[in-house]
Amino acid sequence: IERNREYMLMLGVLDAAEAVPSRSRPSAKAARKRREPQEPTRRSGRVAGAPPELDGSTLDEDEEDEDEDEEERERQVKRRRTIDSDVLADTQAWLQRSRDALLALGGGSGKAPTGADEWRAEAERRWGDKVPSMEDYESYVRSRLPTPPPPSDLQLLQEFYSADIWRLCVACSLMSRVSSHDVKSRTIAAFFARYPTPSAALDADPEELKAILHPLGLFPNRAKSLAAISQRFLEMPRFDLGLTPELKVFGFGSFGVDSYSIFCRGRLDLNPSDATLKSFVAWQKRRRAKAEQPQT
């Protein structure tokens, strides 16, 4: 979310999206009623060959205390679920608003470009000063504007970068073969903080880039992949990504291409091999089926 906020600031559309309201989660440990120690009302006669001596008392009081503890635990779980649900709803709503703001042409003005010079300025505003000369800048820009599906409950990392195709592709390149979500999230965020556009990425100092990407490993291949996708993204008259020779980019296999197709082009008719992508497609299909059900 913070990276989206910084990106909106760069594009001049920060005011168009509101920040997610902060919510504090209550302490997981609720105050429990303290019980004063009491003299035992019965004792065990665990002496070899001797039966236990009982005084006729019961464990009703202890059982009542245990019931109260269990009820309190259930209340805590319900509170946490309610708070988590509210935070998720707020995040989804903000993410949708931020996408709308980032995809709006003309930045903060809200006015779409009208001529070749304005369309070129729009391209450079989004992707930097290495945008090459093109015959049709409008087609150049529009082919690079994604149509992402609605935010899901899964909150996959790709969802937070799907408003910009280059960023989504970079995120997929960097998250490949990394299991730790925290490592992926932090490293990708650090990369975009330093290199916000493909133009900036192509000017990256190799040693500085290596230091940023160090937690991910496989630096030579990742650096080559980043350069390849950044160069291709800037140079193609109409951007597209695939597995056929004319659309293939180094470092992008089925995971990267499927992520691009799903998160940037809204392709929910795919059957991806990756488990997380399968889950996302299934979630979107359930959401769509539910929305299409007739209201009773």
Side-chain angles (χ1 to χ4, degrees):
I1 289 175
E2 185 61 29
R3 297 290 77 75
N4 272 359
R5 193 175 287 116
E6 292 174 0
Y7 188 36
M8 284 189 286
L9 180 62
M10 184 190 79
L11 295 181
V13 295
L14 182 62
D15 293 340
E18 300 171 8
V20 177
S22 61
R23 292 178 179 267
S24 59
R25 177 178 289 186
S27 173
K29 293 184 179 180
R32 293 189 178 184
K33 181 180 178 182
R34 179 179 176 83
R35 290 183 294 166
E36 296 296 331
Q38 300 176 350
E39 292 293 328
T41 58
R42 63 191 180 99
R43 69 181 177 85
S44 173
R46 294 192 178 276
V47 178
E53 297 178 9
L54 305 176
D55 61 2
S57 64
T58 65
L59 298 178
D60 289 346
E61 292 181 0
D62 289 339
E63 291 174 353
E64 290 176 359
D65 289 338
E66 291 176 359
D67 291 341
E68 291 177 1
D69 290 345
E70 182 62 28
E71 291 175 359
E72 179 58 33
R73 283 193 290 270
E74 291 178 359
R75 284 193 291 270
Q76 291 176 19
V77 170
K78 289 180 180 178
R79 282 197 296 269
R80 285 196 292 270
R81 286 176 179 171
T82 299
I83 292 170
D84 289 343
S85 178
D86 290 345
V87 170
L88 176 61
D90 287 342
T91 303
Q92 288 175 322
W94 183 90
L95 183 55
Q96 186 60 58
R97 290 195 298 271
S98 71
R99 285 178 178 177
D100 294 341
L102 290 169
L103 292 173
L105 293 168
S109 69
K111 182 180 178 181
T114 57
D117 290 342
E118 290 186 7
W119 279 108
R120 174 162 190 164
E122 179 75 14
E124 292 178 347
R125 182 176 69 87
R126 291 176 177 272
W127 304 300
D129 58 6
K130 292 187 183 300
V131 170
S133 297
M134 289 286 161
E135 293 183 1
D136 187 351
Y137 282 108
E138 180 177 357
S139 176
Y140 180 90
V141 171
R142 291 192 182 278
S143 74
R144 287 159 172 77
L145 297 180
T147 53
S152 77
D153 290 351
L154 305 177
Q155 294 197 307
L156 301 184
L157 198 57
Q158 293 99 313
E159 297 187 68
F160 292 91
Y161 295 106
S162 61
D164 183 281
I165 291 178
W166 174 74
R167 289 186 172 221
L168 183 281
C169 291
V170 168
C172 290
S173 174
L174 296 183
M175 73 170 67
S176 177
R177 301 186 183 181
V178 182
S179 59
S180 170
H181 182 276
D182 184 64
V183 170
K184 289 186 288 190
S185 179
R186 290 178 181 275
T187 306
I188 292 171
F191 175 86
F192 288 130
R194 182 64 183 87
Y195 311 110
T197 67
S199 296
L202 289 175
D203 285 337
D205 176 76
E207 291 303 315
E208 183 180 36
L209 180 62
K210 184 176 182 180
I212 292 174
L213 302 186
H214 175 73
L216 303 177
L218 303 175
F219 173 73
N221 284 343
R222 295 193 194 279
K224 185 177 179 180
S225 177
L226 290 174
I229 190 62
S230 298
Q231 194 72 40
R232 183 70 65 87
F233 184 86
L234 289 170
E235 289 181 348
M236 292 182 74
R238 292 180 58 86
F239 181 79
D240 201 0
L241 182 66
L243 296 176
T244 56
E246 66 274 13
L247 298 178
K248 185 76 172 69
V249 176
F250 177 84
F252 285 82
S254 59
F255 172 75
V257 172
D258 286 345
S259 292
Y260 160 77
S261 299
I262 293 168
F263 292 98
C264 293
R265 299 308 185 192
R267 292 280 307 278
L268 300 179
D269 58 333
L270 302 179
N271 183 26
S273 58
D274 180 77
T276 58
L277 297 182
K278 279 182 179 290
S279 298
F280 181 82
V281 169
W283 188 94
Q284 292 290 347
K285 288 181 177 179
R286 290 195 300 270
R287 179 201 61 81
R288 179 178 293 179
K290 184 177 180 180
E292 292 174 352
Q293 289 178 351
Q295 298 295 327
T296 57

